[in-house]
Amino acid sequence: MADRDPGRVSADVNWREVARLVLASRELDRLEEQELVPAKKVMYQFSARGHDLAQVLLGLQLKDGDAACGYYRSRPLLLALGVSMADALGSGMGLAGGYSDGRDIGAVFNYPNPGGAHALPMSGGVGAQYTPATGWAQAIDYKTRVLKEGPEDAIAVVLGGDASCATGGFWSALTIATTQQLPLLIYIEDNGYGISVPSEYQTPGKNIAANLANFSGLTIFDGDGTEPDEAARLVKEAVRHVRTKRAPALLRLTVPRLEGHSFQDTQSYKSPEVIDREWARDPLPKLKAYCADYQVGDEEWERLENEVAWEVGAARAEAEARGTSSPEVVTDHVFYEDQMQQIGGLWNAAYEAPASSDTPNPDGQRINMVTAIRRVLDQELASNPRVLVFGEDVGPKGGVHAVTLGLQDKFGRDRVFDTSLNEEGIVGRAVGMALAGLMPVPEIQFRKYAEPATEQINDCGTMRWRTHNRFAAPMVLRVPGGFFKCGDPWHSQTNEVQFVHNPGWKVAVPSNAEDAVGLLRGSLRGNDPVLFFEHRAMLDDSWARRPWPGDEFVLPFGRAKKVREGDKITIVTWGAMVPRCEAAAEGIDAEVIDLRTLMPWDSEAVLESVRRTRRCLIVHEDLRTGGFGAEIAAVVADEAFLDLDAPVARVTMPDIPSPHHPRLLEWAVPSVERIRAEIDRLMGF
C-alpha cells in the first residue's frame, strides 16, 4: 500500500461520505441477494461488491455539466451522484417511478440529476455505452468553443469492464476521442472475467492499459482499485487531466468481482483458491482501516452501518409502497407526445422553430432531390447553430452521392465533418450529441452499411420509452439506399421495414424533391429520431424533380398523398416504385397512393380508398417476405375485409439480394409490366 499522506489525499476526499456510500451499496446488494431475489421480487441482480469503492470515488469527482455512461454494475456511481435509494432499489424490483416506471431492468440506470452530473441512459448491451459518451464529449467541445455555452471544464465519463474492451464500441470511441482530442475519461474496472471467460481470452496480456500505452493522443492511468489512497489518487489525477488538458484519458483499476456475474452465476468456473484471493482484495476492510486513520473510527463506522441499514430499509418500504405502474400507460412515450423529456433534444435548449406551413408554395424551376435535400440542410445549418452534419466523406467530397457538396466550405469543419469508418461510432456519437441538446444529422453511406450501427439505432429509438420520458435523443439519420443503374447485395438494399420495427423511430421515404424538403425540414425541427431514406434512383430522377416548395414548407409525418385518383383499384406504394405504379395505372381508373412515411403510415387514407375502390394492390421494392407491404395487407384485411371484391395483392422483389447486372436487376425489381399485369388480374375479379 502506498504511503498515506493526509495532505495529498484527504484534503479533497470526504472519507466519511465515501464510507457511507460504499456501505449503502453493500447493503443494497445484501438485501437483494438474501431477500429480494429469493422472493422473486428482483429478477436481474448484478452485485457491485469489489467494484464499489473506486466507483464511489469517481462519482464524487463529477459535477454539473459532466455526464457519465455506465453499465449494469454501476450502481455505486449512481449513489455517489445522488440517486435516491428508493429509486435504486425500486427500479430493480420493476416498481412504479424510478428509472423507467417498471419498463426496463433496474440494472441499467439513468439519472437526469439537475444541478449535478447526468447519468446517461445505460444499455443492456456490453460496449454500447462508449460511443454515446464520446458524443457527449464532442458536444461539450462544440458547445464551449462554438456556442460559448456550459462549463469550460465539463467532461464525459464512460465505465466498462475489461471484457468490454474487446467490443467495437470501445475501439470506435477510442478512435473518435483521440483523433478529435475530446474531454472523455474511459474508466475500465478490470475484474479479470467476462462472465466466466478469463481476461486472457479478451485482452492480449490481460492489461488493456499496457496495450494502449503508446496509443497516440491518449493518457493512461493504471493501478489498484481496492487500495483507498491509490484509487483516490488515480481517480483524481485522471479526472483532473481530462478537465484541464481537454484531452482523453484511460483509467484502468483492477478490482475483484466478489460475487457471480449475476445472482444466478455460481462461479463454478473459479477455483476455491481464486475466490479466496479475490476476497482477500475486498476493498471494504481496506476502506475501514484507512478511514480509521482519518475521519471515521470504529465507533463512527458502526454508526454508519446502522444508519445505512435503516436508510435502505426505509427505501425498501418507500419503493414497495409505490406498487407497479398501470399497464394502461405502458404504451406512452414511444414518441414525443407534447410532454417534454428532461434531457435531450433541441427543445430543451430554448429552441424556437421558424414559421412553417404544410402547404407547398412552388417557386422556380424543377430541382432534383439532391439539390432539394442539400438546400434544406444549408438553410437549417444557417438558422440553427445546433445542427451538425457528419459521416464518412461528407466533407470536402460532399458525400458519395454529392448531397452535402459545398456545405463544409460554407459552414466549416465544426459543423460539417468527416468521421472515421465506423457506423456504430457515427450513430453512437450522434446519440450523445442529441442528449446534449444538439441536432445531429449523421449519414450512413448506403443502407446495408447501417448494420454495424443496429444496436445504437435500437437503443436510441427505445430511449424515451425505457426512461419513461426522462431522456430522448432526437436526430435525423440520413440513409441512401435502393437500386440505381445497377444493383448488388451491398449498396442496393432497401429493407426499410427493419427501421419501422425499431420502436421510437419515425421513417420517411420521400419519392420526390418536394416531399423530401417537407419531411426533412420537419425532421430537423422535431423531437424524435428520424430515419430519412434517400432512394438512390430518385436522387437525380427526372420524375422526382419538383419546384422548390418554399422556405416554410413542412410536411407532417403520417400523411399520404394521392398521386393519381381513381375508383376501381387502390395501389399503395412509396419511394422509387411511385412513378412505376403511376405509369402502370395509365388508362385505368386507379388510385395511386404514395405513403411518403412508413412510421407512422397513413392507414386512414389507405382504408378510405380501399373501401371505395374495393381492391388493393401493394407495390414495394423490398423483399416480399416480411416486407412492410405485409403489414399494410394485414390492416386492410383486418379492417376492410367485407369491402373487398378481390384479395389484397402485392408486387415486390423476390426474396433474394439485389442482383448486380442491370438485366437481372430489372427482372427482380417490380417493373411497370409486372405491376400492370397484377392490376389487370385484380380488375378481373
Side-chain angles (χ1 to χ4, degrees):
M1 183 179 291
D3 292 337
R4 295 176 179 171
D5 181 353
R8 184 182 67 193
V9 178
S10 64
D12 57 355
V13 176
N14 183 340
W15 289 102
R16 186 186 187 281
E17 181 65 4
V18 172
R20 186 186 73 82
L21 291 167
V22 172
L23 287 169
S25 177
R26 291 292 174 107
E27 178 61 15
L28 289 170
D29 282 337
R30 183 208 65 79
L31 177 62
E32 288 175 338
E33 292 160 3
Q34 296 183 11
E35 299 182 34
L36 299 180
V37 173
K40 293 183 171 49
K41 292 186 175 183
V42 169
M43 289 168 282
Y44 286 91
Q45 199 274 342
F46 296 87
S47 173
R49 294 184 188 183
H51 292 235
D52 34 23
L53 169 61
Q55 280 192 36
V56 166
L57 290 167
L58 176 60
L60 292 175
Q61 290 281 333
L62 304 183
K63 63 185 184 67
D64 191 19
D66 298 341
C69 197
Y71 68 116
Y72 47 79
R73 215 179 300 282
S74 297
R75 184 164 61 188
L77 176 84
L78 270 291
L79 295 175
L81 294 182
V83 70
S84 75
M85 289 191 193
D87 282 353
L89 195 61
S91 296
M93 301 168 74
L95 299 175
Y99 309 131
S100 70
D101 205 41
R103 299 171 178 216
D104 202 352
I105 59 174
V108 294
F109 314 99
N110 66 81
Y111 185 41
N113 199 19
H118 304 309
L120 302 182
M122 301 177 190
S123 169
V126 174
Q129 69 269 31
Y130 288 107
T131 51
T134 309
W136 183 279
Q138 187 164 354
I140 289 172
D141 178 68
Y142 178 79
K143 290 198 294 185
T144 55
R145 287 191 304 101
V146 179
L147 301 182
K148 309 302 180 185
E149 290 181 2
E152 294 184 354
D153 64 346
I155 67 172
V157 178
V158 61
L159 288 75
D162 52 300
S164 70
C165 295
T167 65
F170 172 82
W171 291 101
S172 176
L174 199 60
T175 300
I176 297 167
T178 52
T179 58
Q180 306 302 307
Q181 285 296 282
L182 300 178
L184 174 70
L185 175 60
I186 301 173
Y187 169 51
I188 302 301
E189 38 191 16
D190 190 342
N191 62 34
Y193 284 88
I195 305 185
S196 66
V197 180
S199 57
E200 54 260 34
Y201 292 100
Q202 306 281 356
T203 306
K206 301 193 294 186
N207 185 342
I208 191 65
N211 293 346
L212 295 173
N214 294 319
F215 203 90
S216 181
L218 182 70
T219 300
I220 302 290
F221 299 87
D222 191 13
D224 190 335
T226 71
E227 298 291 350
D229 53 354
E230 182 177 352
R233 174 177 58 81
L234 288 170
V235 166
K236 177 184 174 183
E237 290 177 357
V239 170
R240 181 171 56 194
H241 173 86
V242 180
R243 285 202 194 284
T244 59
K245 302 296 184 183
R246 315 308 295 156
L250 183 140
L251 169 63
R252 171 188 175 257
L253 295 179
T254 58
V255 295
R257 195 190 71 200
L258 299 179
E259 302 293 342
H261 167 73
S262 61
F263 180 82
Q264 291 79 9
D265 178 17
T266 63
Q267 301 200 91
S268 59
Y269 44 85
K270 291 182 180 178
S271 69
E273 292 76 19
V274 168
I275 293 176
D276 288 344
R277 284 198 300 270
E278 289 184 327
W279 277 99
R281 296 187 63 225
D282 184 357
L284 187 60
K286 297 181 181 183
L287 176 62
K288 181 178 181 181
Y290 189 81
C291 287
D293 289 349
Y294 294 113
Q295 304 168 14
V296 184
D298 288 346
E299 183 176 335
E300 180 65 9
W301 187 273
E302 184 177 352
R303 185 180 299 113
L304 277 176
E305 289 180 322
N306 293 332
E307 176 184 313
V308 162
W310 185 89
E311 288 179 357
V312 170
R316 176 183 181 178
E318 178 184 340
E320 291 187 321
R322 297 173 179 174
T324 57
S325 178
S326 170
E328 284 74 20
V329 299
V330 77
T331 57
D332 292 351
H333 305 308
V334 175
F335 295 103
Y336 172 61
E337 301 168 350
D338 295 325
Q339 182 180 344
M340 186 58 60
Q341 65 272 13
Q342 296 179 48
I343 303 295
L346 286 173
W347 299 89
N348 269 326
Y351 169 74
E352 293 186 13
S356 64
S357 169
D358 62 358
T359 302
N361 183 23
D363 178 47
Q365 295 182 334
R366 288 155 55 93
I367 58 175
N368 64 14
M369 279 183 65
V370 167
T371 304
I373 293 169
R374 184 191 301 131
R375 189 167 171 180
V376 174
L377 292 175
D378 187 323
Q379 290 182 334
E380 294 302 308
L381 282 162
S383 66
N384 184 359
R386 295 180 180 275
V387 174
L388 303 179
V389 175
F390 54 93
E392 298 161 21
D393 301 303
V394 305
K397 181 177 175 62
V400 295
H401 298 94
V403 174
T404 59
L405 191 64
L407 294 181
Q408 188 180 86
D409 290 339
K410 185 172 183 178
F411 296 99
R413 294 178 183 273
D414 286 324
R415 306 287 308 284
V416 181
F417 56 89
D418 290 324
T419 67
S420 50
L421 201 161
N422 187 296
E423 285 76 18
E424 177 176 348
I426 292 171
V427 179
R429 81 164 82 179
V431 171
M433 290 177 177
L435 288 170
L438 303 180
M439 172 49 77
V441 189
E443 177 186 299
I444 302 295
Q445 285 187 336
F446 297 94
R447 166 64 188 89
K448 180 68 174 65
Y449 297 169
E451 302 306 323
T454 300
E455 183 168 48
Q456 293 297 334
I457 291 170
N458 179 73
D459 289 354
C460 176
T462 61
M463 184 179 295
R464 184 189 298 276
W465 180 86
R466 60 188 165 88
T467 67
H468 199 223
N469 207 38
R470 296 170 110 186
F471 289 83
M475 69 173 72
V476 179
L477 177 57
R478 295 179 40 248
V479 181
F483 69 91
F484 187 35
K485 296 178 181 179
C486 61
D488 70 76
W490 316 109
H491 303 86
S492 303
Q493 184 184 92
T494 53
N495 194 17
E496 318 97 323
V497 71
Q498 181 174 330
F499 299 111
V500 176
H501 209 64
N502 277 320
W505 280 90
K506 291 183 175 180
V507 180
V509 284
S511 66
N512 60 79
E514 179 182 295
D515 291 351
V517 168
L519 291 170
L520 180 57
R521 183 178 285 128
S523 301
L524 290 168
R525 299 175 181 180
N527 200 16
D528 286 301
V530 174
L531 187 288
F532 191 81
F533 194 84
E534 301 169 5
H535 200 289
R536 296 167 63 219
M538 308 309 288
L539 288 173
D540 192 34
D541 184 79
S542 59
W543 180 92
R545 297 184 180 195
R546 300 287 191 277
W548 177 251
D551 294 343
E552 296 184 355
F553 180 52
V554 169
L555 182 61
F557 274 63
R559 182 188 294 179
K561 181 179 182 179
K562 292 181 181 179
V563 176
R564 194 174 186 279
E565 295 191 0
D567 292 318
K568 298 301 183 183
I569 186 172
T570 299
I571 305 170
V572 184
T573 189
W574 57 91
M577 294 297 103
V578 178
R580 296 192 177 204
C581 288
E582 189 177 46
E586 190 67 35
I588 298 176
D589 191 7
E591 188 148 285
V592 179
I593 295 178
D594 180 357
L595 286 183
R596 305 197 285 198
T597 67
L598 299 186
M599 178 53 71
W601 68 282
D602 194 347
S603 59
E604 291 184 7
V606 171
L607 289 170
E608 182 278 328
S609 178
V610 170
R611 287 175 178 136
R612 180 166 39 80
T613 68
R614 309 185 76 83
R615 291 173 176 84
C616 181
L617 173 63
I618 303 157
V619 181
H620 62 70
E621 181 184 337
D622 197 6
L623 310 187
R624 185 177 185 85
T625 302
F628 192 68
E631 171 67 18
I632 300 170
V635 170
V636 170
D638 229 13
E639 302 189 30
F641 178 78
L642 296 178
D643 298 295
L644 293 171
D645 287 340
V648 179
R650 290 173 288 163
V651 178
T652 72
M653 282 263 290
D655 292 342
I656 60 172
S658 180
H660 180 52
H661 193 279
R663 182 184 179 194
L664 300 178
L665 173 70
E666 280 303 318
W667 177 88
V669 173
S671 64
V672 172
E673 292 74 22
R674 282 177 57 201
I675 299 168
R676 178 57 180 257
E678 192 63 11
I679 293 174
D680 291 341
R681 186 182 74 87
L682 292 178
M683 295 285 284
F685 267 83

